Amino acid sequence: DAKTTQPPSMDCAEGRAANLPCNHSTISGNEYVYWYRQIHSQGPQYIIHGLKNNETNEMASLIITEDRKSSTLILPHATLRDTAVYYCIVRVAWETSGSRLTFGEGTQLTVNP
Amino acid sequence: DTGVSQNPRHKITKRGQNVTFRCDPISEHNRLYWYRQTLGQGPEFLTYFQNEAQLEKSRLLSDRFSAERPKGSFSTLEIQRTEQGDSAMYLCASSPPTDTQYFGPGTRLTVL
């Protein structure tokens, strides 16, 4: 699976949009971009994933550049409960084996009142 | 609640003791994964089941670790002769064939 690079930490004001970047310059054509987050002492929570088109769900939006070498997770109106470590992961989906998620160190997002 | 459940949530044991953790996946998810997470690090893959078959094991899974998934439903992870270095959060995840993994709350192990 391709390696990802994320900033170690970011701050955001409550109510503002949080934009979390991720670089994955070695991504392959059959690899998806997944985002998870982990609130302190809880299990990781799935947020969203995409291949090449932008995606949106009730939690967030995922913007993937045309060359697929980077992406941005957008939390449109951050709340204090969005304070967490956010992980960007690239992996081949629907493999019959080797379906592990490889987590990096992620980005610690702190939402400030 | 139809999410992944793990028991116990916390376990404190003395070095040298055996411990067993249980994971109940989301109903009808045929894939089940175990990960380990130490303080300040992201989760690390341990092993993966598709139905009852254990298809992949990480080198992190030493011979003191064993995982089972009888009948392709719940899974257990056993650690024999625990060491202080085994202290970590043990996470279980399950997925349907489309393979988006959903995690449980984890079992935090402390080895004294």
Side-chain angles (χ1 to χ4, degrees), chain B residues 36-107:
Chain B
R36 182 175 72 182
Q37 185 174 26
T38 54
L39 202 61
Q41 303 297 315
E44 296 174 291
F45 171 81
L46 291 178
T47 190
Y48 153 59
F49 290 85
Q50 182 160 306
N51 300 310
E52 66 276 9
Q54 188 173 18
L55 295 186
E56 189 175 2
K57 293 193 290 186
S58 161
R59 286 176 294 179
L60 293 175
L61 210 66
S62 76
D63 55 7
R64 295 185 298 106
F65 288 69
S66 63
E68 295 182 343
R69 192 184 183 197
K71 303 179 183 178
S73 55
F74 71 93
S75 176
T76 58
L77 178 68
E78 180 182 17
I79 308 174
Q80 297 182 328
R81 306 181 303 281
T82 53
E83 302 172 355
Q84 288 186 324
D86 297 330
S87 294
M89 173 82 85
Y90 290 85
L91 294 159
C92 176
S94 71
S95 77
T98 53
D99 218 28
T100 296
Q101 297 180 29
Y102 297 90
F103 284 80
T107 295

Side-chain angles (χ1 to χ4, degrees), chain A residues 10-18 20 37 75 77-84 86 108-113:
Chain A
M10 294 183 65
D11 287 283
C12 177
E14 188 177 20
R16 304 297 294 269
L20 292 95
R37 73 180 183 185
L75 306 179
H77 305 287
T79 71
L80 299 179
R81 289 180 293 179
D82 292 322
T83 292
Y86 287 76
Q108 171 66 60
L109 175 69
T110 302
V111 180
N112 301 303

Side-chain angles (χ1 to χ4, degrees), chain A residues 76-104:
Chain A
H77 305 287
T79 71
L80 299 179
R81 289 180 293 179
D82 292 322
T83 292
V85 177
Y86 287 76
Y87 296 101
C88 169
I89 301 165
V90 294
R91 61 184 290 265
V92 178
W94 305 317
E95 284 187 354
T96 56
S97 65
S99 296
R100 65 178 68 186
L101 292 172
T102 302
F103 288 81

Side-chain angles (χ1 to χ4, degrees), chain A residues 61-75:
Chain A
S61 295
L62 174 60
I63 308 298
I64 303 173
T65 59
E66 192 169 343
D67 63 7
R68 302 208 325 118
K69 292 184 177 182
S70 66
S71 60
T72 301
L73 179 75
I74 301 172
L75 306 179

